[in-house]
């Protein structure tokens, strides 16, 4: 999967490059009139990046054209009228954006179960099926995003926008990015059993998508609020979510590392961890019942907080019984290496996203930094992973400390993304629940 010199490229490499350049040219010819010169530059950069991506990871030579074909089939089936989705079979049940999202959700849930069956039974065939289901779910996710982008323009040229503007859309993006990153490492390290853990965090995101769609009707496309009517959004948000996806992947592999590493636990330590887990369950139930009044937050925010505390209880039980799945999981060294690579990629893109966010803030609000709660917690996330990388690369830390640090890092990142909007207010309050 390494990048080869241009002279060593195969004809298939150049066919793929021509296809991507043709797709970029088509997009410019069709929609260039709606773009400013900044967006022209983004389109060019994205096209060249996709060419490089396909050359770097050969699987993308089939995945990206496959998604493009499905998206073109979906968009052409509309015939310029959004209402067509109500009576067109292929749109209603397969290729309308919401239909594709529902397929994505079902496939992720099934893939998660199949990964766990393969892990428990140590069945390579079952794990291969789970991997195929995950690829198909990612294909549905990308298709849904491309079709939704087109649907927004059918509502009106002033409404049309890239689908990364609200929690519903960015959670789909999160699922897609985290999946592709995992599938790359799955193939690179030949370790499919990692999917049982990584798919858990993706399934949690899928659960949020379903709740947000059914309870809040969030799947309905809305015009952008003024704060988001900027070309900065097109590059800041995707860069952010590459970071979020990488940090989530690292955290789930941290959990897997604990279950793969036979660390001796004293009975007293184990009993203490069990007691803390039980106390966490009690606290979670109390938050679920009384949290809305305690913290002056919505009922939905209280339920999400309860879920987070319950996850903490599960982690305490896992900490009490390390190594119980050592025979089924990849070696701790493999899990640690993949986690390190994920954090490295995530930190790079989160740094880029933070710089882009500061530039966007200067453009929108007249200053690069205002110590808004969202900005402050983004800085905390950045410092957390900067310290993680420092102690690993400079101090040589390995093992349980970094595994737990990855898990706690995801909790910090989740609070920065969702918790700030639930519990605090600021310039980014438009992203609340």
């Amino acid at each position: 999967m390494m990048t080869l010199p241009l002279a060593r490229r195969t004809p298939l490499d150049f066919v793929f490059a021509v296809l991507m350049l043709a797709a970029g040219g088509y997009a410019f010819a069709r929609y260039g009139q709606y773009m400013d010169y900044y967006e022209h530059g983004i389109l060019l950069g994205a096209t060249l990046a996709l060419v490089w991506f396909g050359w770097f990871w050969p699987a993308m030579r089939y995945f990206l054209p496959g998604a493009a074909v499905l998206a073109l089939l979906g968009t052409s089936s509309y015939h310029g009228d959004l209402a067509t989705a109500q009576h067109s079979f292929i749109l209603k049940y397969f290729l309308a954006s919401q239909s594709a999202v529902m397929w994505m959700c079902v496939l992720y849930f099934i893939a998660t179960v199949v990964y766990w069956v393969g892990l428990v039974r140590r069945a390579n065939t079952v794990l291969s099926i789970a991997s195929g289901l995950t690829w198909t779910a990612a294909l549905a996710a990308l298709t849904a995003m491309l079709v939704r982008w087109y649907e927004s323009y059918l509502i009106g040229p002033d409404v049309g926008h890239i689908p990364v503007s609200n929690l519903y859309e960015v959670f789909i993006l999160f699922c897609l990015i985290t999946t592709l990153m995992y599938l790359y490492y799955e193939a690179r390290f030949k370790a499919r059993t990692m999917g049982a853990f990584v798919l858990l965090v993706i399934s949690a995101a899928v659960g949020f998508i379903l709740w947000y769609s059914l309870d809040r009707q969030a799947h309905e496309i809305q015009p952008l609020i003024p704060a988001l009517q900027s070309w900065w959004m097109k590059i800041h948000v995707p860069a952010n979510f590459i970071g979020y996806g990488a940090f989530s992947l690292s955290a789930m592999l941290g959990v897997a590392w604990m279950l793969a590493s036979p660390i001796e636990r004293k009975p007293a330590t184990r009993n203490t961890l069990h007691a803390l887990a039980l106390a966490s369950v009690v606290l979670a139930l109390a938050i679920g019942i009384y949290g809305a009044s305690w913290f002056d937050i919505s009922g939905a925010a209280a339920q999400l907080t309860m879920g987070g505390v319950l996850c903490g209880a599960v982690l305490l039980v896992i900490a009490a019984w390390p190594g119980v799945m050592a025979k089924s999981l990849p070696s701790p060294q493999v899990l640690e290496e993949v986690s390190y690579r994920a954090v490295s990629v995530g930190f790079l893109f989160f740094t880029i996203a933070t710089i882009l966010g500061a530039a966007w803030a200067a453009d929108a609000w007249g200053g690069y930094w205002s110590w808004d709660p969202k900005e402050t917690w983004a800085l905390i996330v950045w410092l957390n992973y900067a310290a993680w990388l420092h102690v690993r690369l400079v101090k040589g830390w390995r093992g349980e400390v970094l595994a737990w640090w990855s898990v706690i890092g995801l909790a910090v990142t989740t609070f920065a993304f969702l918790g700030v909007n639930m519990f605090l207010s600021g310039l980014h309050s438009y992203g609340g629940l």
Side-chain angles (χ1 to χ4, degrees):
M1 297 182 187
M2 297 179 63
T3 304
L4 298 173
L6 193 63
R8 295 174 60 189
R9 287 289 164 195
T10 66
L12 184 59
D13 290 329
F14 292 104
V15 169
F16 173 78
V18 170
L19 283 174
M20 291 298 100
L21 293 172
Y26 173 79
F28 179 79
R30 182 78 181 270
Y31 304 109
Q33 59 182 320
Y34 302 112
M35 304 177 186
D36 58 30
Y37 59 91
Y38 290 111
E39 291 165 326
H40 292 160
I42 292 172
L43 176 60
L44 176 61
T47 302
L48 295 177
L50 289 176
V51 172
W52 172 85
F53 196 29
W55 285 4
F56 174 76
W57 186 12
M60 289 297 101
R61 300 171 192 168
Y62 307 99
F63 178 80
L64 293 175
V69 169
L70 289 175
L72 285 173
L73 180 60
T75 56
S76 62
S77 298
Y78 274 106
H79 303 295
D81 183 6
L82 195 61
T84 305
Q86 301 301 317
H87 53 78
S88 169
F89 178 83
I90 195 169
L91 289 173
K92 189 173 183 179
Y93 295 104
F94 294 100
L95 292 180
S97 65
Q98 185 61 7
S99 300
V101 168
M102 290 300 105
W103 278 109
M104 177 200 79
C105 294
V106 170
L107 288 165
Y108 274 131
F109 282 141
I110 295 174
T112 303
V113 173
V114 176
Y115 264 120
W116 274 96
V117 171
L119 173 65
V120 172
R121 297 183 62 183
R122 303 179 200 173
N124 289 329
T125 301
V126 176
L127 290 170
S128 297
I129 293 171
S131 185
L133 288 168
T134 305
W135 272 109
T136 309
L139 186 67
L142 181 54
T143 301
M145 295 192 72
L146 293 172
V147 174
R148 184 177 176 86
W149 197 345
Y150 176 77
E151 289 170 349
S152 69
Y153 279 94
L154 287 182
I155 296 174
D158 57 331
V159 176
H161 60 271
I162 184 173
V164 294
S165 65
N166 57 40
L167 287 177
Y168 172 80
E169 293 171 348
V170 297
F171 264 87
I172 298 171
L173 178 65
F174 169 82
C175 291
L176 174 63
I177 288 174
T178 309
T179 299
L180 292 180
M181 192 171 296
Y182 160 70
L183 288 170
Y184 172 77
Y185 289 123
E186 177 190 85
R188 178 72 176 81
F189 288 86
K190 296 178 174 57
R192 284 185 172 140
T193 50
M194 296 188 303
F197 290 87
V198 177
L199 265 289
L200 288 176
V201 74
I202 296 173
S203 290
V206 165
F208 180 89
I209 290 170
L210 290 173
W211 167 78
Y212 210 44
S213 301
L214 299 174
D215 188 71
R216 303 298 178 87
Q217 301 300 304
H219 61 281
E220 297 178 359
I221 299 173
Q222 302 293 335
L224 289 177
I225 62 173
L228 298 178
Q229 293 174 2
S230 170
W231 60 271
W232 287 105
M233 182 180 73
K234 297 176 176 66
I235 49 178
H236 169 69
V237 175
N240 236 342
F241 275 85
I242 294 174
Y244 289 157
F247 299 152
S248 300
L249 173 61
S250 175
M252 298 314 295
L253 295 182
V255 176
W257 186 96
M258 287 181 265
L259 290 170
S261 302
I263 302 170
E264 189 68 30
R265 287 278 189 259
K266 295 180 180 180
T269 302
R270 187 168 289 156
N271 291 335
T272 300
L273 290 168
H274 286 161
L276 289 172
L278 180 59
S280 298
V281 171
V282 174
L283 176 61
L285 294 175
I287 290 174
I289 298 171
Y290 305 108
S293 57
W294 286 352
F295 304 113
D296 192 25
I297 56 177
S298 67
Q303 295 299 313
L304 287 173
T305 304
M306 178 184 73
V309 177
L310 286 174
C311 288
V314 173
L315 290 171
L316 288 168
V317 173
I318 291 173
W321 299 93
V324 295
M325 301 183 73
K327 294 181 179 179
S328 302
L329 287 167
S331 69
Q333 292 76 19
V334 168
L335 295 170
E336 192 170 59
E337 180 64 19
V338 177
S339 180
Y340 159 65
R341 294 190 183 200
V343 170
S344 299
V345 172
F347 181 73
L348 170 63
F349 278 92
F350 193 77
T351 301
I352 293 171
T354 302
I355 295 170
L356 292 172
W360 188 2
D363 187 36
W365 300 318
Y368 290 99
W369 198 266
S370 59
W371 295 105
D372 173 76
K374 196 78 165 183
E375 296 171 351
T376 303
W377 275 91
L379 177 60
I380 292 171
V381 171
W382 188 88
L383 291 172
N384 173 72
Y385 287 104
W388 193 100
L389 289 169
H390 173 77
V391 298
R392 190 186 193 279
L393 295 173
V394 178
K395 301 296 183 180
W397 288 18
R398 298 289 189 277
E400 188 176 9
V401 173
L402 288 187
W404 274 108
W405 196 334
S406 295
V407 174
I408 295 170
L410 178 59
V412 173
T413 303
T414 301
F415 185 84
F417 175 47
L418 286 176
V420 166
N421 293 345
M422 292 192 297
F423 295 100
L424 305 173
S425 62
L427 295 172
H428 293 80
S429 296
Y430 51 78
L433 293 174

